[in-house]
Amino acid sequence: MAKRSSLSIRIVEGKNLPAKDISGSSDPYCIVKVDNEPIIRTATVWKTLCPFWGEEYQVHLPPTFHAVAFYVMDEDALSRDDVIGKVCLTRDTLAAHPKGFSGWAHLTEVDPDEEVQGEIHLRLEVVARPRGRRLRCSVLEARDLAPKDRNGASDPFVRVRYNGRTQETSIVKKSCYPRWNETFEFELEEGTAEALCVEAWDWDLVSRNDFLGKVVFNVQSLWAAQQEEGWFRLQPDQSKSRRGEGSLGSLQLEVRLRDETVLPSGCYQPLVQLLCREVKLGAQGPGQLIPLIEETTSTECRQDVATNLLKLFLGQGLAKDFLDLLFQLELGRTSEANTLFRSNSLASKSMESFLKVAGMRYLHGVLGPIIDRVFEEKKYVELDPSKVEVKDVGCSGLHRPQTEAEVLEQSAQTLRSHLGALLSSLSRSVRACPAVVRATFRQLFRRVRERFPSAQHENVPFIAVTSFLCLRFFSPAIMAPKLFHLRERHADARTSRTLLLLAKAVQNVGNMDTPASRAKEAWMEPLQPTVRQGVAQLKDFITKLVDIEEKEELDLQRALSLQAPPVKEGPLFIHRTKGKGPLMSSFKKLHFSLTTEALSFAKTPNSKKSALIKLANVRAAEKVAEKSFGSSHVMQVIYEDDAGKPQTVYLQCKCVNELNQWLSALRKVSISNPGLLGSYHPGVFRGDKWSCCHQKDKSDLGCDKTRSRVTLQEWNDPLDHDLEAQLIYRHLLGMEAALREKRRELSAGTEAGSVPTGPGEAAEDALAQLLRVLRDLREAHRSSPTGSPPSEPNRLLALQT
């Protein structure tokens, strides 16, 4: 049994941001921090005070996290980026909104006294002395303090205040992980309401000291406890009144916290077996439970349910059968061919999730080069005469401005070139398409052709395939390549317009160039010859795509299972030491590939790979403090070599998002390894000591805790069968009342009929079994040790505000 916490984050847009640039505008982006740890950076939206991002993320976290903060920044090319403001949501705030926090939040000013981080290790005791009791406070160490100096560290000391007396520790120079081991005593008066305040400060020689955080204790609680020791989270100084709330603009967010207690696999087996049996029955005739789940699922949570079911059946090898069952259900209630798969049904949502999980690598192979070309060319493209702006095009020839007709003709040529390249790439991609995707489209094509066999519906099976492949997969990826990981940044206004027009053309081809699609926007007419040619190409492609037999499908899947597909790959810089001293080291660029077996590298993507680390030997993957190498975005992979000796390799990424993606991938593939470390050194061992905590023992356990549970959800994540089963159980539990009502209706219908109806009785039996399974799972949860997330070590001390 394990507790799992995750955050679903959607950063929608900002409005009324202040201008930070001389031009009267800003270049805003967002940084998302969980407990002061940067985990996400959105793309920059250039020259606007009302940016739109629309970016979605899912972050897996330990249940003990405290807060998530959204910092809106202004990117500057020549100087340090400006902080515009922030929004902070505590764990308690999110827990108070079970359906998620959604709406606009005012940005607040970033106060240095509130930007604290880290924890302090204290031991508090009430000791007896001949002259009375005394309060003893031992300041042992601290970790992950905020770096306040230019060198990327701080010079921390601790100030302890009680009953009018103040005592201070010594100063530890250039460290965010100081160790003091100093003890102070105060006279303790019984019944006093005075609090004990422990403050951490950064010492500065010239300017005023910087505040690093504080912990305030209720001494009356300590009287009862007598002794308490542990790590205590440093709190900000909130005595100042906030200024300017609302004047810094607002941020629209959708954030949902989900806490799940995942039971052992055996507890979910009855539920999984019941659902799998229903899907297998659907091959001969539609099952009963899946239609009931669809009927009782609200529109707002249908996408989540579809994704969970799809992943569950994908792990059971039944994704194709599950989707085939949904195709049959959709076709059974559809009378008009032109409305097929146009609604947000469970079939449509499940197919969307399926293509993202199983077909994302395929999409990157087909669309990647075309999207890159559009971004690199940055041509002005416009087909709508009412939107043509000649001034944006520049001049051709000897200072002669282009006419509107010339702009339209050049735009049409550019779009015809992009569309032709895309269709050619698609036509050549039949063998590159995953076997399970091809087999699913084969089932869809056959089912639709059986449902609409007449000659007038000849194109309907093709349109059914393109409604998912083109309209719900390729077109959204073309319009928003950042959201499909095709690009790292959002497109500017000019490139966005080109991508939108290209997506419209792909939609027209996907609709088989119907008169209805042509009538919507007559100004798309210049593309018609390419569209008509594309329809023929697309039909030929689909014919080949669905022409896959069972044996070929199995052979392709077997060949794929023998390979270790890369979990993540790309260029990284590996640290090489040439001698002693920080100036005698450098980073060399290599191409790295991570599979479920090893982390390998090569000089180029096509060169022969050499294994660097066996995944079974990985003990931790963590960030490195920026001051360690004077470089940002560096991570360390701690592992054991073949002789069992601990080793560390240092790798540099090009940006914070890439750093977090690599860390996330490494942590996920090694999460089950034995011997994972609980602590590590965020610095490097240079000379005779660690740069982070100044300890001289190289084998020291570490001065900071590891973050192996902090990961980002990606489309190619390994399937977590137990978690998906738990999420489905949670959803079914929420609709238990509706399921019981449905069972009563079925029972009443069966009793009223003189002759029992087979499907009705089957549905009643399956529903009765499902309700029993839900009851058993509910009892399993009740009997398991549940409750609130693990608390901090200072559980006996009342924190004062």
Side-chain angles (χ1 to χ4, degrees), residues 68 126 169 200 250 279 315 379 389 408-409 599 632 659 720 740:
V68 55
V126 175
T169 67
S250 303
V279 167
K379 290 183 178 179
E389 298 179 13
L408 293 173
E409 177 55 32
L599 177 65
S632 54
L659 171 64
D720 189 335
R740 289 191 181 281

Side-chain angles (χ1 to χ4, degrees), residues 46-255:
W46 304 101
K47 298 178 181 178
T48 180
L49 301 180
C50 296
F52 178 83
W53 290 286
E55 298 188 18
E56 298 182 16
Y57 303 90
Q58 185 150 347
V59 188
H60 300 286
L61 301 162
T64 52
F65 87 96
H66 298 84
V68 55
F70 301 83
Y71 291 77
V72 180
M73 312 288 291
D74 169 56
E75 183 168 336
D76 288 323
L78 302 178
S79 61
R80 199 172 194 177
D81 294 352
D82 299 314
V83 182
I84 295 176
K86 76 169 185 178
V87 173
C88 186
L89 300 173
T90 65
R91 194 187 201 288
D92 293 339
T93 301
L94 295 172
H97 295 78
K99 293 186 177 181
F101 172 88
S102 179
W104 289 93
H106 290 301
L107 292 173
T108 58
E109 185 180 11
V110 176
D111 187 334
D113 286 346
E114 292 189 12
E115 297 302 296
V116 303
Q117 65 184 63
E119 299 170 311
I120 188 166
H121 188 186
L122 303 172
R123 183 169 59 245
L124 304 174
E125 301 171 274
V126 175
V127 295
R129 289 284 187 265
R131 295 184 179 180
R133 293 180 180 271
R134 295 180 68 84
L135 172 61
R136 179 184 293 169
C137 175
S138 298
V139 182
L140 305 177
E141 58 186 321
R143 62 189 179 195
D144 196 27
L145 298 180
K148 294 291 185 178
D149 300 336
R150 290 185 178 181
N151 60 13
S154 290
D155 304 319
F157 69 95
V158 172
R159 183 177 293 159
V160 184
R161 293 188 288 109
Y162 176 71
N163 206 16
R165 287 190 60 200
T166 300
Q167 301 187 60
E168 295 181 353
T169 67
S170 58
I171 300 168
V172 179
K173 296 290 187 71
K174 299 179 181 179
S175 177
C176 292
Y177 299 85
R179 295 185 181 182
W180 293 284
N181 291 320
E182 298 182 28
T183 300
F184 308 100
E185 288 192 2
F186 302 89
E187 291 184 7
L188 190 58
E189 298 178 8
E190 189 170 355
T192 180
E194 187 74 18
L196 174 71
C197 182
V198 181
E199 298 175 342
W201 292 84
D202 167 51
W203 177 82
D204 286 320
L205 177 63
V206 179
S207 60
R208 72 179 183 88
N209 297 337
D210 298 309
F211 180 71
L212 294 176
K214 68 178 181 179
V215 186
V216 182
F217 299 104
N218 185 333
V219 178
Q220 292 299 318
S221 300
L222 192 59
W223 273 95
Q226 292 296 304
Q227 181 176 339
E228 182 69 14
E229 179 180 347
W231 286 94
F232 300 88
R233 182 172 174 79
L234 291 169
Q235 302 295 325
D237 182 6
Q238 297 177 331
S239 58
K240 299 179 181 179
S241 59
R242 292 188 177 274
R243 309 187 270 118
E245 186 169 295
S247 63
L248 299 176
S250 303
L251 190 63
Q252 188 181 6
L253 299 167
E254 295 174 10
V255 187

Side-chain angles (χ1 to χ4, degrees), residues 252-271:
Q252 188 181 6
L253 299 167
E254 295 174 10
V255 187
R256 183 183 179 188
L257 170 66
R258 175 174 279 162
D259 288 320
E260 295 293 344
T261 300
V262 181
L263 301 172
S265 299
C267 297
Y268 298 108
Q269 281 307 303
L271 175 62

Side-chain angles (χ1 to χ4, degrees), residues 384-397:
D384 187 350
S386 65
K387 295 183 178 179
V388 171
E389 298 179 13
V390 176
K391 64 180 180 180
D392 281 351
V393 183
C395 301
S396 64

Side-chain angles (χ1 to χ4, degrees), residues 2 26 31 48 51 99 137 140 203 283 287 319 335 351 368 370 400 517 570 594 662 699 703 715 741 743 749:
S26 291
I31 290 284
T48 180
K99 293 186 177 181
C137 175
L140 305 177
W203 177 82
S335 56
M351 194 64 180
I370 287 88
R400 181 183 67 82
S517 63
L594 175 66
W662 272 103
S699 61
C703 54
W715 53 268
E741 180 61 30
R743 182 167 183 259

